[in-house]
Amino acid sequence: MRRTTICRSNRGVVLALVAVPLVVGVLRAQDTTHVDTTRAQDTTHAAPAPGVEGTGQLPATHTVSRGETLWSISQLYFGDPLLWPEIYRLNTSVVEDPHWIYPGEVLTLAPLAGLAQAPTDTAATVPQGAVAVGDTVHADTVHADTVHADTVKADTGAAPIAAPPPDTTQAAPIEPPPPPPATESYQTIFDRPRSRTEEVRDILRAYANQPYRPLRRGEFYTAGWLTEKETLPWGDVLGTTSKPAIHRLSERTTAMRFEEIAIRPPAQASYHVGDSLLLARLGRQVPDWGDVVVPVGVARVTAVQPRQVLADVILQFGQVHDGQLALPLEPFKDPGQVRPAPVGQGLEGHIIDARDLRALSGAQQIYFIDKGRADGVVPGDVFEVYRPASGEVGSASEEVLVQLMIVHAREHSASGLVIQVTQPDVTPGMPVRLVKKMPS
């Protein structure tokens, strides 16, 4: 489009003359979004592009000529100007703005050829009245809906029209889908349906066949015993070796499980790396029986120094702190699943005292009796504490109060763990007797 500039001064005339070459350069680009009616009509009657006529194929590229737009190029090659966005999509590296294309630019058309190219008519002509064979030809049939139809006679009595020759091609057999891959399945007792009778039977069997342990390792180590006035090779617990993160409120240092503590061995003894030590505190004194030893943990020696050893706390039964004692750990002998056998008129003795000064409230408390290894008492033996009959007229007969299982035996005394309570009124001096004996 030609532009005219009117200026009121000579300077304006000069500027207008200078701007004329610039306007001419801008006019070389065409606005592809505004196409007049004349151009649209011309593109519908435009000569086919090179490579289109006579070949049935579209060229791979197109070189833009003066006056062309994406609209006209789409109409030229694909017969639909509205397909111009596809041309722009394939040429974004060449065309920066789809509204402006310039002569000499090479546009790619190949990917659109298969999309916009009309299918060629290569099918054979179907005679009038015949049934077409094929999936893409839909012919109205009178007596059948398949590709094989019988001869159809016209209602006017004309000669019958022969049916097309039968289709001798056989379709490929349809293979069944492959079976799903095998997956591993794990069936538990909860997956299968079970009757109420089976559930009750399993519960009763579990109660009847419980694994039996006459004595456990923890019960042996935590029981405690009486010193029987014997001098034992005690070492001194010096406390934990780690410094507290905050200021201590007391001078006593405590250690937890897996923490390191320092121990000073006795004067005429030495510890080695790997030795296990019983950590304990001494309780009250029992007349004629010595001190009550209460275990608080087990430590294992990790380092030996000139005046002390370092050990890690591996088991903890109570608070471990400085001022307590250490003793080489007595080895535990597991009796296995051997059950004590009932005996009649067994060994008799008496209750010495309870380890802890509190009322008997249930099982798992410790009582000391005056029978030990010298009398044949071994861990696993069962004693019962009873109240004998008074012999008075109208009084009760003998009454069993508590059953004790021996968990630790010394030379002349033993520690019994309460396993059954009938009457909690147990006092020192009450008689006990052996009712179950472990096999020797």
Side-chain angles (χ1 to χ4, degrees):
M1 179 177 179
R2 191 171 182 179
R3 300 181 182 180
T4 305
T5 305
I6 301 176
C7 302
R8 295 184 180 183
S9 62
N10 294 334
R11 181 178 298 178
V13 174
V14 174
L15 294 176
L17 293 177
V18 173
V20 169
L22 299 177
V23 174
V24 174
V26 172
L27 290 178
R28 291 180 182 179
Q30 295 84 26
D31 187 355
T32 61
T33 59
H34 299 82
V35 180
D36 55 7
T37 308
T38 305
R39 176 168 294 182
Q41 293 175 355
D42 293 340
T43 55
T44 56
H45 300 284
V52 176
E53 183 178 5
T55 62
Q57 297 181 356
L58 296 178
T61 60
H62 172 77
T63 303
V64 179
S65 302
R66 183 179 181 84
E68 288 184 330
T69 63
L70 295 181
W71 181 285
S72 63
I73 296 173
S74 177
Q75 174 67 29
L76 175 64
Y77 287 101
F78 310 121
D80 188 355
L82 298 179
L83 293 179
W84 71 266
E86 295 294 331
I87 301 178
Y88 170 67
R89 183 180 61 83
L90 297 174
N91 296 275
T92 53
S93 61
V94 178
V95 181
E96 296 181 359
D97 187 351
H99 298 280
W100 302 97
I101 59 175
Y102 299 91
E105 292 180 339
V106 179
L107 305 180
T108 302
L109 303 175
L112 285 177
L115 178 105
Q117 186 175 1
T120 57
D121 188 8
T122 57
T125 304
V126 180
Q128 183 178 4
V131 180
V133 179
D135 294 338
T136 58
V137 180
H138 303 280
D140 295 334
T141 57
V142 178
H143 299 289
D145 59 351
T146 62
V147 295
H148 302 286
D150 296 335
T151 303
V152 181
K153 294 184 178 180
D155 294 339
T156 57
I161 302 175
D167 188 3
T168 59
T169 60
Q170 297 181 357
I174 301 177
E175 298 182 357
T183 58
E184 297 183 358
S185 61
Y186 301 93
Q187 185 178 10
T188 64
I189 60 174
F190 303 102
D191 297 332
R192 58 183 179 87
R194 304 173 63 200
S195 64
R196 181 60 181 172
T197 304
E198 292 179 344
E199 294 179 359
V200 173
R201 186 183 299 112
D202 291 344
I203 294 174
L204 295 178
R205 187 182 299 112
Y207 276 104
N209 299 324
Q210 289 184 355
Y212 177 78
R213 291 291 186 275
L215 181 63
R216 290 176 170 82
R217 188 183 304 272
E219 296 169 343
F220 174 77
Y221 289 146
T222 61
W225 67 87
L226 295 172
T227 60
E228 300 180 359
K229 297 184 178 181
E230 181 182 0
T231 302
L232 301 176
W234 294 109
D236 297 324
V237 176
L238 303 179
T240 179
T241 60
S242 61
K243 296 182 179 179
I246 59 177
H247 179 69
R248 296 195 304 266
L249 300 179
S250 64
E251 295 298 330
R252 176 168 294 176
T253 61
T254 60
M256 303 297 292
R257 190 179 180 186
F258 303 123
E259 289 187 352
E260 187 180 61
I261 60 175
I263 301 175
R264 182 170 55 235
Q268 298 179 355
S270 61
Y271 299 149
H272 304 278
V273 175
D275 289 349
S276 296
L277 305 176
L278 179 68
L279 308 179
R281 62 179 176 85
L282 295 181
R284 69 188 189 279
Q285 288 188 348
V286 178
D288 300 330
W289 293 98
D291 298 324
V292 176
V293 179
V294 181
V296 295
V298 176
R300 182 165 296 164
V301 178
T302 57
V304 177
Q305 298 179 356
R307 301 179 57 184
Q308 66 177 8
V309 297
L310 303 181
D312 291 338
V313 179
I314 58 176
L315 294 176
Q316 187 175 8
F317 316 132
Q319 190 178 27
V320 178
H321 57 76
D322 54 340
Q324 293 177 343
L325 303 175
L327 186 71
L329 187 66
E330 183 179 353
F332 170 72
K333 297 180 181 179
D334 190 354
Q337 298 186 2
V338 179
R339 295 176 180 268
V343 297
Q345 303 296 324
L347 179 67
E348 294 191 1
H350 295 86
I351 292 289
I352 298 176
D353 205 346
R355 190 193 71 177
D356 304 311
L357 293 179
R358 64 170 182 263
L360 178 60
S361 58
Q364 304 302 313
Q365 290 187 224
I366 300 296
Y367 281 88
F368 303 126
I369 65 174
D370 58 356
K371 299 298 177 182
R373 290 194 297 258
D375 304 299
V377 177
V378 296
D381 292 347
V382 177
F383 285 78
E384 62 181 13
V385 182
Y386 66 97
R387 181 183 291 118
S390 63
E392 298 180 359
V393 178
S395 62
S397 61
E398 181 182 285
E399 182 181 7
V400 177
L401 304 180
V402 171
Q403 279 195 349
L404 304 174
M405 182 178 68
I406 303 302
V407 293
H408 197 284
R410 302 292 291 176
E411 190 66 23
H412 302 288
S413 62
S415 305
L417 178 68
V418 176
I419 59 175
Q420 185 178 351
V421 179
T422 304
Q423 292 290 337
D425 189 15
V426 178
T427 58
M430 296 192 71
V432 298
R433 62 186 171 201
L434 181 66
V435 293
K436 293 183 181 180
K437 178 64 179 174
M438 289 289 290
S440 57

